[in-house]
Amino acid sequence: MAVSLYGYAQAPAAMALEVGAGPGQIGLEMHPNQDCQGPAAMVAAGDDATALLDKVNGKIVVVAAAGRHDIALPADLLEPVDVIATSRGFLVVGALGEVAMVSAKGDVLARTRTGHDPEAGVPRLIALADGFALDDLNGKRVNVPLSALQTGTPVVANLAAAASYAATAPHTDPTTIVIASAQVAGPLSTMTLKSRMRIVDARVLWVNEGEGALVALHESRRLPHEAAYVRLLKVDAAGAAHAEAYVRPAAFACDTRRPYARRADGTVVSLVFQDNTIKLDIIQFSPVGKAEPLALGPHPAGATLIAEHDDTLRALERLNGVSGATNIAMTSISASQILQRARAPLELVWRLKASAFEHVAVANRCAPPSNIWRRPLRLDGMLGKDVTGMPYRWGGYMSALANFSKHLDAGRLAGDDCTCRKVNCVYANSTGMDCSGFVSYAWQTGRYFTTGSLPDRAVSRPVLWHELSPADIVNKPRSHVRLVESVHNGPAGPVVVVIESAANKSCGGVCRRSYTQGELQQAGYKPLRRITLSNEGERK
């Protein structure tokens, strides 16, 4: 039996992963009205071990048949989002572009900062022929300033060659894409890939000139209803696709950017989320044209969890003075006015006073039900300084931005990123906005709506992805919502620039971020447009 670089035997085809904060456990936080927090990515880590980047617990968990091995990441590496296994350990990048090289024993071998702009999307860590780099959603590449002696070489052979593929030209036939690499010789130097649907993007995950390649295709269709898919294609050494598999929607339930990995024995494993559990499953391939398409969308949670989340969302509305009997009378507003309102809390400058920074009798700790206030990380070290941007507060909403200053003057704590599955973790003596509170303010709804009630036909109406325009929202019911600021084309398809209020450590309040349309579709977001827009006829 093969033994991995990290001392474990081959991992089994499928296994349950225990959720928690203990040794060998994976962090998973699926709270209502908050973006799901779970494993950020997974990679092959040696002969047949699989490594999971656990951003909740700040560690890497190497999973194999004989056991699991935790590798602690630096405590101040903010929100790890991508990882590559190397001959020296693991190269990890945080959401703001900081990179750390960590050994298999958890020793920090090197650290560096890059010029990555977080507003241009979550950085993607890629291998180059002579090092590593970060790519953003606009195609800008920033080299990682670490030497080969510091980082080692990728454990997965030809990883740099796989990352070197690019589309040769804009494809005139939407069902065909041609990708090529100058680093690969022979038939695999250029691959022509076809689909029964529209191809949005193609990404090579693995390539070997004598064996073949594994390619991930993001596909979409508009009829009979709009849907997105991720199809994995196995390509032989002659460049012909011979096997396929559709990634299950449950793999993307927690916004994991890469929930699958190819192991050294050729099998491909995937994460599968079900309520509050995670499983590492093997993907079964079929001959090309025989696999059943699996449309991505909102993750089908269990009835008990759905009911629990819905109860919490209704309780959040009641805390903001809203009842089920509240009349909805949406006033007319233009898209430009919505964007102006959205940018106001984004650009808000305020002074963090001692009374808003901490209270002696209130612990800065999220451990419901006894401790239910935690200061957003972005405010640490900012006491007495000017802060830009409204802080995140779960259940937070205000109809007028001036109320924030009034709350601070009244001695409320600034922000609160302590979220939970029960509404009793809302700390009343704090101020700020959560994701749907921010959208409710920007849309000028006149009341607080959650991600569960924003899709109500008295509030919004669905639109197609190709119709998405500034001032629309992308909403994931019971999870998170983002307001669209602009849409433009990028190397991997449409890029959606949003303004959102997020609890994650790299944001901690209202911030500007970017996502590909594919990322949003994979995660289960749906585009919505506010009703009674005064400039509706002028929109595309």
Side-chain angles (χ1 to χ4, degrees):
M1 181 174 288
V3 177
S4 80
L5 183 65
Y6 303 96
Y8 292 122
Q10 176 177 340
M15 66 165 64
L17 302 176
E18 192 174 349
V19 172
Q25 296 179 330
I26 307 295
L28 179 63
E29 296 178 353
M30 303 180 76
H31 298 158
N33 229 45
Q34 181 207 347
D35 209 7
C36 180
Q37 300 293 310
M42 62 183 297
V43 293
D47 287 347
D48 284 297
T50 304
L52 303 177
L53 182 58
D54 182 354
K55 66 180 178 182
V56 174
N57 293 321
K59 65 180 180 179
I60 294 169
V61 181
V62 181
V63 180
R68 301 175 191 180
H69 173 53
D70 286 0
I71 301 172
L73 298 176
D76 58 347
L77 179 63
L78 194 66
E79 199 176 332
V81 293
D82 206 359
V83 60
I84 290 178
T86 78
S87 56
R88 297 208 69 196
F90 292 92
L91 193 65
V92 184
V93 60
L96 301 183
E98 184 180 7
V99 178
M101 182 67 220
V102 182
S103 75
K105 295 181 179 180
D107 299 321
V108 179
L109 305 179
R111 292 185 74 165
T112 187
R113 295 186 180 276
T114 66
H116 172 76
D117 178 8
E119 291 190 0
V122 174
R124 175 175 171 243
L125 186 58
I126 63 167
L128 305 176
D130 56 353
F132 297 89
L134 303 181
D135 277 1
D136 70 17
L137 299 187
N138 297 319
K140 181 180 179 181
R141 177 165 293 176
V142 178
N143 287 331
V144 175
L146 295 177
S147 69
L149 290 176
Q150 292 173 302
T151 64
T153 56
V155 166
V156 176
N158 301 319
L159 195 61
S164 67
Y165 280 88
T168 57
H171 41 293
T172 55
D173 177 3
T175 64
T176 302
I177 188 170
V178 180
I179 56 176
S181 169
Q183 295 185 27
V184 179
L188 292 177
S189 62
T190 301
M191 289 185 273
T192 301
L193 307 171
K194 297 181 177 292
S195 172
R196 292 167 287 176
M197 293 175 273
R198 177 175 174 267
I199 299 176
V200 179
D201 183 33
R203 181 158 292 168
V204 178
L205 306 176
W206 169 85
V207 64
N208 183 296
E209 294 174 9
E211 298 181 38
L214 178 67
V215 184
L217 291 180
H218 173 218
E219 304 171 334
S220 68
R221 69 179 183 190
R222 295 178 182 173
L223 298 173
H225 53 80
E226 198 169 40
Y229 306 80
V230 173
R231 182 165 62 115
L232 302 181
L233 274 180
K234 287 186 175 181
V235 179
D236 62 25
H242 64 90
E244 66 180 7
Y246 285 89
V247 181
R248 295 168 58 182
F252 297 97
C254 208
D255 297 359
T256 304
R257 65 184 318 186
R258 192 174 58 252
Y260 40 76
R262 182 191 183 276
R263 301 191 303 209
D265 62 0
T267 58
V268 182
V269 291
S270 170
L271 293 175
V272 177
F273 296 87
Q274 182 61 50
D275 294 344
N276 288 298
T277 65
I278 310 175
K279 185 171 67 170
L280 191 63
D281 211 356
I282 193 165
I283 294 180
Q284 301 295 331
F285 283 78
S286 304
V288 170
K290 299 297 183 181
E292 179 183 358
L294 298 174
L296 304 178
H299 176 54
T304 300
L305 185 62
I306 289 175
E308 184 178 279
H309 281 202
D310 285 347
D311 287 345
T312 300
L313 295 181
R314 285 190 289 269
L316 287 175
E317 291 182 340
R318 288 193 296 272
L319 284 175
N320 280 282
V322 177
S323 69
T326 302
N327 292 325
I328 303 174
M330 301 278 285
T331 58
S332 180
I333 188 173
S334 69
S336 60
Q337 288 173 319
I338 289 174
L339 292 176
Q340 184 178 15
R341 289 178 64 86
R343 290 171 183 142
L346 173 71
E347 299 166 356
L348 177 70
V349 178
W350 54 282
R351 179 62 60 94
L352 181 55
K353 300 181 294 185
S355 59
F357 185 77
E358 61 184 349
H359 290 174
V360 174
V362 181
N364 181 21
R365 182 168 179 254
C366 184
S370 56
N371 301 105
I372 58 173
W373 178 78
R374 182 174 58 195
R375 183 189 313 113
L377 191 64
R378 69 190 285 185
L379 301 182
D380 286 355
M382 297 300 292
L383 178 60
K385 299 179 181 178
D386 285 343
V387 178
T388 300
M390 175 76 68
Y392 181 91
R393 179 204 177 228
W394 196 53
Y397 164 73
M398 55 195 74
S399 59
L401 208 58
N403 291 343
F404 179 65
S405 295
K406 294 178 181 177
H407 292 164
L408 295 181
D409 290 341
R412 290 195 188 187
L413 289 163
D416 180 11
D417 66 8
C418 183
T419 62
C420 63
R421 289 172 60 182
K422 299 291 186 181
V423 76
N424 64 3
C425 75
V426 173
Y427 186 66
N429 197 28
S430 60
T431 184
M433 292 178 175
D434 71 3
C435 61
S436 63
F438 163 72
V439 166
S440 298
Y441 167 80
W443 266 16
Q444 196 171 309
T445 59
R447 53 165 276 191
Y448 174 80
F449 290 93
T450 67
T451 54
S453 55
L454 281 168
D456 191 289
R457 63 182 181 180
V459 181
S460 66
R461 64 178 180 87
V463 294
L464 299 176
W465 279 101
H466 73 276
E467 299 173 326
L468 192 66
S469 298
D472 291 339
I473 62 173
V474 287
N475 185 67
K476 185 177 181 180
R478 306 181 185 89
S479 180
H480 191 54
V481 62
R482 296 162 170 145
L483 188 135
V484 177
E485 186 178 32
S486 64
V487 183
H488 65 271
N489 289 323
V495 175
V496 183
V497 181
V498 306
I499 303 175
E500 61 182 322
S501 184
N504 55 43
K505 294 178 180 179
S506 62
C507 184
V510 180
C511 60
R512 179 183 285 114
R513 293 292 184 262
S514 299
Y515 305 89
T516 65
Q517 178 181 311
E519 288 175 324
L520 295 169
Q521 287 180 294
Q522 289 168 12
Y525 285 87
K526 298 293 184 183
L528 298 172
R529 181 166 298 165
R530 187 192 190 275
I531 64 168
T532 63
L533 278 175
S534 61
N535 61 342
E536 179 71 14
E538 302 173 6
R539 296 168 68 89
K540 64 179 182 179

